[in-house]
Amino acid sequence: MKKNRILSGVQPSGDLHIGNYLGAIKNFVKFQNQYECLFCVVDLHAITVWQNPSVMLHQTRKVISAFIASGIDPNKNTLFAQSDVPHHTQLAWIFSCVARMGWLNRMTQFKDKAGKDKENVSVGLFTYPTLMAADILIYLATHVPVGEDQKQHLELTRDIAQKFNNDFNTSFFPLPEPLILGNGKRVMSLRDGSKKMSKSDPSDYSRIMLTDTIDQISNKIKKAKTDSHPISDNLEDIKNRLEAHNLISIFASLNDKEVSSVLNEYSGKDFSYFKKDLIELIVEKISPIGKEISKLMQDLNYIDNVLLRGKENSTILADSILSKVYEIIGLKKR
Ligand code: TRP
């Protein structure tokens, strides 16, 4: 029995790009041998902003396909949809009674997403982090692989677990640790190195999708913004050249190398030279995944069966943990 348990979530709000892959899924593949893993498609988080109902299920299946195509073994790990296990939302309610308004008011992701329109966003967008805490703690997960941008939400999860434990004089909930991911943790837009690569960017040229064709990959990298200087082996210099740094980081991450070793290798070379190798590398590493996603999406019975097994496994676990929570707070679950 593996002692530590991982839970992580990916939103089904659009097709996946290499930012999702390098920032999350690629690392999940590595963790599956060391931890007991649950990977969740967080569809209830997605609807904190309006989603088209006719594509929701399709997107969820696509994320599951991407997990499997990337090398996550559905027989060794639990892959499931958040909305299939109502215990998440039940625990989220309890947590919304534990978390304080002041804590949620400090969440920078909410401030960023709400922008100036704070009065007009959904209540769900505000309470989003209590549902995320519930996703993690409904399985008593000890470790959570997340990108840098989710660190604050994980700290809130620990605060909620701690306050629950204090309020009810128990040590029931673990304080889950973040596993902050390496090199590719923040893949930036190919058009603007100061913005995160995102499905909501209006420009297709800002991102490489896992299912892009070789021509699309090649065109997007050729058009990717750089500067006119050659590559230098000075890491600090490259870090200030945002677009240059982003392309080098993508290369390093796909190749499991350090940025500095890629800089040494390409020092003095132009970006036109480097881009040829980058295109080749993306085609080598990403195209097979894209092809496998398309193949898996032809066999929806198989994908739905993975979802069903995931639902069954996670429900058994969540059910026993929620019963204990109800007992602790004096609501006996019948
Ligand atoms: N908030 C995460 C994101 O946007 C997604 C998420 C939801 C998640 N629940 C989670 C991540 C639980 C880790 C654990 O990326």
Side-chain angles (χ1 to χ4, degrees):
M1 182 70 191
K2 297 173 199 162
K3 203 163 83 239
N4 292 315
R5 184 179 288 151
I6 275 187
L7 179 125
S8 199
V10 173
Q11 291 206 31
S13 40
D15 283 353
L16 297 175
H17 49 70
I18 54 165
N20 304 117
Y21 175 70
L22 295 175
I25 303 173
K26 180 167 178 266
N27 297 285
F28 297 172
V29 179
K30 292 188 194 149
F31 294 134
Q32 65 182 335
N33 297 320
Q34 305 155 36
Y35 297 88
E36 177 192 348
C37 296
L38 296 114
F39 297 120
C40 179
V41 184
V42 289
D43 45 7
L44 296 173
H45 275 115
I47 60 164
T48 54
V49 296
W50 191 83
Q51 301 291 329
N52 182 348
S54 66
V55 301
M56 283 299 282
L57 180 56
H58 177 77
Q59 302 288 20
T60 295
R61 286 167 168 157
K62 239 181 158 173
V63 176
I64 296 289
S65 302
F67 284 162
I68 300 171
S70 305
I72 296 175
D73 183 343
N75 297 318
K76 285 198 198 137
N77 306 279
T78 300
L79 311 183
F80 69 109
Q82 187 185 32
S83 63
D84 269 337
V85 187
H87 307 69
H88 292 230
T89 41
Q90 290 173 288
L91 185 60
W93 174 258
I94 294 171
F95 284 171
S96 74
C97 301
V98 174
R100 307 287 94 180
M101 289 294 285
W103 300 359
L104 290 178
N105 269 326
R106 284 194 286 276
M107 293 295 112
T108 55
Q109 181 170 301
F110 175 76
K111 289 186 212 167
D112 290 348
K113 284 198 179 171
K116 289 197 181 74
D117 209 11
K118 246 177 140 174
E119 292 296 310
N120 202 30
V121 292
S122 71
V123 176
L125 192 69
F126 184 68
T127 59
Y128 178 116
T130 57
L131 179 58
M132 179 162 160
D135 295 339
I136 297 165
L137 292 171
I138 194 65
Y139 303 106
L140 305 180
T142 52
H143 292 81
V144 185
V146 281
E148 199 68 37
D149 62 325
Q150 293 299 313
K151 230 175 128 178
Q152 196 189 28
H153 286 160
L154 204 67
E155 276 157 24
L156 185 91
T157 303
R158 295 163 62 88
D159 289 343
I160 290 175
Q162 181 85 66
K163 182 161 166 40
F164 181 97
N165 288 349
N166 285 345
D167 285 357
F168 298 101
N169 195 20
T170 169
S171 55
F172 185 70
F173 285 120
L175 306 186
E177 302 276 345
L179 292 169
I180 299 285
L181 308 168
N183 251 335
K185 60 190 171 197
R186 225 175 132 89
V187 178
M188 311 308 280
S189 156
L190 302 179
R191 309 297 301 162
D192 175 351
S194 68
K195 283 201 295 191
K196 205 175 148 178
M197 185 176 283
S198 157
K199 353 189 189 211
S200 51
D201 192 312
S203 168
D204 266 353
Y205 278 89
S206 69
R207 59 189 164 252
I208 306 244
M209 309 307 294
L210 295 182
T211 47
D212 274 350
T213 62
I214 295 175
D215 280 348
Q216 283 170 316
I217 294 171
S218 170
N219 285 334
K220 287 178 182 180
I221 293 297
K222 279 184 193 150
K223 287 220 169 78
K225 198 172 155 200
T226 44
D227 51 49
S228 52
H229 305 287
I231 295 175
S232 93
D233 59 6
N234 180 333
L235 187 60
E236 289 313 308
D237 168 55
I238 286 285
K239 275 190 178 159
N240 291 325
R241 294 158 61 188
L242 299 182
E243 287 81 13
H245 182 245
N246 187 38
L247 291 184
I248 307 257
S249 302
I250 292 173
F251 189 95
S253 179
L254 280 171
N255 243 342
D256 285 318
K257 283 189 176 157
E258 293 299 322
V259 168
S260 56
S261 96
V262 178
L263 292 180
N264 283 338
E265 197 180 326
Y266 286 93
S267 176
K269 298 275 198 296
D270 289 336
F271 268 95
S272 56
Y273 178 92
F274 171 77
K275 279 181 171 184
K276 285 198 192 105
D277 286 1
L278 178 59
I279 292 168
E280 233 174 71
L281 182 64
I282 298 177
V283 169
E284 180 197 325
K285 301 277 184 183
I286 299 297
S287 296
I289 297 176
K291 281 192 197 126
E292 188 61 22
I293 293 175
S294 308
K295 206 171 116 197
L296 286 163
M297 288 301 284
Q298 303 290 313
D299 190 356
L300 295 183
N301 275 339
Y302 172 73
I303 297 298
D304 288 351
N305 197 32
V306 170
L307 277 163
L308 184 62
R309 272 190 291 140
K311 171 185 170 168
E312 287 166 358
N313 287 344
S314 44
T315 299
I316 292 171
L317 202 52
D319 204 48
S320 83
I321 291 166
L322 188 64
S323 296
K324 290 184 190 135
V325 174
Y326 274 31
E327 246 171 63
I328 290 170
I329 62 180
L331 307 166
K332 195 163 150 282
K333 197 169 167 252
R334 271 164 282 268

